[in-house]
Amino acid sequence: MFESKYDVIVVGAGHAGCEAAAAAANLGSKTLLITMNLQFTGQMSCNPAMGGIAKGQIVREIDALGGYSGIVSDNSAIQFKMLNQSKGPAMWSPRVQSDRSLFALEWRKMLENTPKLDFYQDMVVDLLFDKEAVQGVVTSLGLKIYSKSVVLTNGTFLNGLIHIGEKNFGGGRAGETASIGLTAALENVGFQSGRMKTGTPPRVDGRSLNFEVMEEQAGDEQPSKFSYLPITKPLTKQRSCHITHTNTTVHEILASGFDRSPMFNGNIKSTGPRYCPSIEDKINRFADKNRHQIFVEPEGWDTVEVYVNGFSTSLPDDIQYKALKQVKGFENVKFFRPGYAIEYDYFQPTQLFHTLETKRIEGLYFAGQINGTTGYEEAGAQGIIAGINAHLKINDQEPFILGREEAYIGVLIDDLILKGAEEPYRMFTSRAEYRTLLRQDNADDRLTARSHKIGLASDERLRLVANKAKAKTALVHYLEKTSYELQEANALLEAKQSDLVTQSDKFAKLLSRPSVQRKDIVNFNPLANYLKENQFTDEVFEQAEIQIKYAGYIDKEKRNADKLKRLENIKIPKDFNFDVLASLSFEAKEKLNHLRPNTLAQASRISGINPSDISVLLVSMGR
């Protein structure tokens, strides 16, 4: 079965592994996806949801590149919400509540319908090397499977250790064994590893909860979707989530178990996620808060299982149960399973190139939590980039690297490679300096043509993008050249308690007012007839509105991005000796020699490198 050599082997079938395998196979590489249990392909290990603040933008970007996360999310969604709509469009972030079982099933179906992709169930315990290049993998059954490249996406399984109170046992996820051997194999060839921690809350029986005393969180009245392709459709029915809160009694019960908590008794020594802390961490760090929000999330269409978001914990199970019973609506709660923490190995991502290929071993790629990230979306983003580059590398093609001004995916990878990860990395809109350019609505416009050029995004995707861009340009031109009727405009402005106009003006000027939205003028004359005649979608009108309203901000960010590109064009020779530059600070020399940035722009983003150091390098490179 394994006599012939694979082009790409992907280890692990989580979000990173699924995207990596799909990308490599769809580009034409003979690909093998090997994982410890094929039944858990595409498993949602933690909360049953995709997207959210900045993460929703990433899912849209994966879809625009030709990945599967957006399609799978749409086909398994039970609720859709566009978050942050009260803020500017740079902050709008799509999110779906997912059917956990259906999500995994949809991933399995997508992958099994991908040509050139094979599957195998086994544990990878070692790698095969030829000098400083990877040659394949070794499994727990002793099989040697050869390949031209390998992508490791091991999630939380590398020497995984699960903690529930004073009990701990090996495992990569509840009910699954840890992956043993691979960390040592990587360390033996010089890689530096570390330990990180994450956690998950209890799952409970929804029949034992009183939802009537909780605050209902319904989906959007007019739900959208993730994928830009028409093969997925917006939801026509949705399930609600609910919100409740902890209280001082809950906190007191939780605190009574601190002496048996692995977080506080020294059993857990690794770093956990700063922005998704456990409930015991919250009440310890924020002792002045007398309550914390709990999101009560259904696990699917046809199950009573409920995910208690905001109650992640590794406290003893009896403490978890006693405390949760004191939460409003949880008085009669029944557990399906307690929460737990898990420690696992990761490798500093500063050991990678921007392609996610390792600097030490040629043809070996890391993606997902092995790089110190947290979140399905961040994992999927790394997976598709690693899969793309593994294929391009073995075919002697130029690498595929996204800039910070092109995508959140570019921001994510650039942060990892240049700054490393001392704690689990999570994406936020604040991490992107060009977030007005990197909106969720225009990911296809930013990325699809680039992906199509390498053969991943389909002709249909490119056609859809071109048609949308053409329609948007026409609509913007119309709004800038066509005048509204004075009486209609003043009636609207009076209702919004805004300054009236004394004479008719162009639609674009009216729409540029902060208080006026496209829905307010959609029936105005003569615009209504023009929209109807040309059958413009609301998606096109939304992009036209954003371009008109935020033109100044968008142009400013484009200018700033262009300035950055000038530094990106100044390459640093691979063998450059930074020690010969006497004017460089000691810290700059140390970090530049260690991280070996490819361009001056990358050097400028390294922590500890200041503007005077860049000036020295500019002079040295001959400006």
Side-chain angles (χ1 to χ4, degrees):
M1 179 177 172
F2 298 122
E3 285 181 5
S4 61
K5 194 174 189 177
Y6 280 95
D7 294 318
V8 180
I9 291 178
V10 178
V11 181
H15 299 261
C18 288
E19 287 291 1
N26 282 327
L27 283 167
S29 283
K30 183 184 177 186
T31 306
L32 174 67
L33 178 59
I34 183 168
T35 188
M36 292 194 296
N37 191 336
L38 284 168
Q39 301 305 315
F40 294 117
T41 298
Q43 180 77 1
M44 296 182 120
S45 305
C46 202
N47 63 316
M50 286 290 283
I53 307 302
K55 292 167 174 282
Q57 284 88 326
I58 290 176
V59 177
R60 281 272 167 97
E61 290 176 354
I62 293 171
D63 183 75
L65 290 170
Y68 289 166
S69 287
I71 297 170
V72 170
S73 296
D74 288 344
N75 287 337
S76 58
I78 63 174
Q79 185 194 89
F80 181 94
K81 284 182 79 77
M82 185 67 75
L83 307 180
N84 277 345
Q85 289 194 80
S86 62
K87 301 179 181 178
M91 304 295 286
W92 298 348
S93 301
R95 180 185 188 274
V96 297
Q97 199 69 34
S98 302
D99 184 309
R100 185 189 299 277
S101 298
L102 187 56
F103 184 91
L105 178 62
E106 287 294 322
W107 253 122
R108 183 78 177 255
K109 285 162 60 178
M110 294 293 289
L111 293 173
E112 289 185 358
N113 282 286
T114 301
K116 294 201 172 185
L117 179 56
D118 291 343
F119 304 87
Y120 194 67
Q121 181 170 299
D122 201 349
M123 182 192 299
V124 171
V125 297
D126 203 350
L127 297 172
L128 298 169
F129 302 104
D130 179 12
K131 297 179 181 177
E132 293 183 351
V134 74
Q135 293 292 297
V137 302
V138 181
T139 77
S140 62
L141 293 177
L143 295 173
K144 292 182 178 180
I145 311 174
Y146 291 89
S147 65
K148 298 174 184 176
S149 63
V150 174
V151 182
L152 296 182
T153 69
N154 301 83
T156 60
F157 283 79
L158 292 179
N159 292 324
L161 184 65
I162 293 174
H163 296 268
I164 302 176
E166 295 169 301
K167 307 163 191 170
N168 59 68
F169 46 91
R173 199 160 44 203
E176 297 178 71
T177 59
S179 174
I180 308 298
L182 205 48
T183 295
L186 292 167
E187 289 175 338
N188 286 340
V189 292
F191 286 100
Q192 295 178 337
S193 70
R195 294 283 278 176
M196 279 189 177
K197 182 216 96 166
T198 189
T200 193
R203 272 56 157 192
V204 303
D205 189 335
R207 297 171 299 180
S208 66
L209 305 183
N210 181 5
F211 292 103
E212 292 183 4
V213 299
M214 303 181 200
E215 178 186 341
E216 185 177 8
Q217 295 286 298
D220 290 346
E221 287 186 14
Q222 294 181 310
S224 184
K225 62 193 188 79
F226 272 123
S227 182
Y228 291 100
L229 291 176
I231 58 172
T232 67
K233 305 296 180 185
L235 290 167
T236 55
K237 64 174 183 175
Q238 302 184 68
R239 283 200 68 177
S240 290
C241 298
H242 291 79
I243 289 178
T244 185
H245 297 84
T246 63
N247 52 56
T248 53
T249 303
V250 174
H251 298 179
E252 288 168 4
I253 294 171
L254 292 170
S256 73
F258 278 5
D259 60 326
R260 292 190 286 152
S261 165
M263 265 192 58
F264 299 114
N265 65 17
N267 282 349
I268 291 180
K269 299 179 177 66
S270 49
T271 307
R274 177 190 300 267
Y275 303 105
C276 189
S278 65
I279 188 65
E280 56 264 39
D281 197 20
K282 284 186 207 173
I283 66 171
N284 186 54
R285 283 166 51 191
F286 308 108
D288 57 317
K289 304 288 185 184
N290 57 21
R291 70 176 197 168
H292 293 285
Q293 214 166 42
I294 301 292
F295 293 89
V296 186
E297 302 179 352
E299 292 265 357
W301 290 114
D302 303 311
T303 179
V304 297
E305 189 171 357
V306 168
Y307 179 89
V308 191
N309 195 342
F311 207 85
S312 173
T313 180
S314 59
L315 284 164
D317 49 338
D318 60 316
I319 296 293
Q320 294 183 35
Y321 178 67
K322 288 176 186 175
L324 203 52
K325 279 178 69 70
Q326 300 302 316
V327 172
K328 191 174 183 180
F330 281 73
E331 293 82 2
N332 298 307
V333 67
K334 292 180 180 179
F335 275 31
F336 274 14
R337 77 168 195 233
Y340 61 88
I342 179 168
E343 290 186 288
Y344 56 94
D345 294 338
Y346 82 106
F347 291 82
Q348 267 297 347
T350 53
Q351 300 171 98
L352 307 176
F353 294 116
H354 277 73
T355 58
L356 297 181
E357 183 184 23
T358 66
K359 295 175 180 177
R360 188 172 294 275
I361 301 294
E362 190 173 2
L364 179 62
Y365 296 79
F366 292 173
Q369 284 179 285
I370 191 173
N371 289 335
T373 60
T374 181
Y376 309 144
E377 303 81 6
E378 290 88 342
Q382 294 168 74
I384 193 169
I385 296 299
I388 288 171
N389 281 303
H391 167 85
L392 295 175
K393 170 93 174 182
I394 62 178
N395 287 282
D396 298 319
Q397 297 181 46
E398 287 295 311
F400 187 82
I401 299 172
L402 296 174
R404 297 181 71 90
E405 78 288 354
E406 290 182 284
Y408 272 92
I409 296 175
V411 175
L412 164 68
I413 293 174
D414 192 62
D415 279 353
L416 293 174
I417 274 58
L418 297 180
K419 298 176 182 176
E422 300 300 331
E423 60 185 46
Y425 180 100
R426 178 180 178 179
M427 180 53 72
F428 292 100
T429 52
S430 59
R431 295 192 190 273
E433 57 269 52
Y434 305 115
R435 56 185 174 271
T436 305
L437 301 179
L438 309 183
R439 306 184 309 274
Q440 56 82 30
D441 64 276
N442 69 350
D444 55 343
D445 190 46
R446 291 184 276 119
L447 301 175
T448 296
R450 279 208 60 187
S451 182
H452 181 269
K453 189 175 180 180
I454 62 170
L456 183 56
S458 64
D459 292 342
E460 181 192 8
R461 282 187 181 275
L462 192 65
R463 179 182 56 79
L464 289 169
V465 172
N467 289 344
K468 189 171 80 169
K470 183 179 178 181
K472 184 195 75 170
T473 300
L475 182 53
V476 169
H477 181 76
Y478 178 86
L479 294 169
E480 289 175 341
K481 299 296 181 184
T482 310
S483 298
Y484 53 78
E485 294 181 358
L486 182 64
Q487 188 174 358
E488 276 187 318
N490 276 333
L492 171 66
L493 295 173
E494 185 176 8
K496 290 184 173 292
Q497 298 181 331
S498 185
D499 293 338
L500 304 184
V501 291
T502 56
Q503 61 184 32
S504 180
D505 207 337
K506 303 295 184 283
F507 275 105
K509 194 165 184 182
L510 180 63
L511 191 57
S512 66
R513 289 197 178 201
S515 61
V516 178
Q517 298 175 320
R518 66 184 185 280
K519 65 180 180 180
D520 299 322
I521 63 171
V522 72
N523 294 317
F524 277 22
N525 290 315
L527 177 60
N529 287 334
Y530 179 76
L531 293 173
K532 186 176 181 181
E533 287 171 6
N534 291 275
Q535 296 184 321
F536 287 120
T537 64
D538 186 62
E539 184 182 23
V540 168
F541 202 174
E542 178 187 70
Q543 288 210 304
E545 178 184 20
I546 290 170
Q547 183 169 320
I548 289 169
K549 257 184 166 60
Y550 300 94
Y553 297 102
I554 292 170
D555 289 344
K556 182 180 178 181
E557 284 200 0
K558 282 182 178 176
R559 289 194 299 271
N560 289 338
D562 288 341
K563 289 178 185 177
L564 178 72
K565 277 186 178 178
R566 295 172 203 165
L567 287 181
E568 290 285 8
N569 291 331
I570 303 175
K571 305 291 184 183
I572 301 174
K574 287 185 178 180
D575 57 351
F576 188 81
N577 184 7
F578 296 101
D579 292 328
V580 302
L581 301 179
S583 300
L584 277 183
S585 67
F586 176 79
E587 182 182 8
K589 291 178 183 178
E590 187 180 58
K591 291 191 173 180
L592 290 167
N593 279 318
H594 173 62
L595 295 173
R596 307 300 309 181
N598 295 320
T599 67
L600 282 189
Q602 290 178 13
S604 71
R605 295 192 293 273
I606 296 172
S607 177
I609 306 297
N610 57 50
S612 64
D613 295 320
I614 298 301
S615 296
V616 171
L617 291 172
L618 271 170
V619 173
S620 177
M621 303 296 150
R623 290 194 175 275

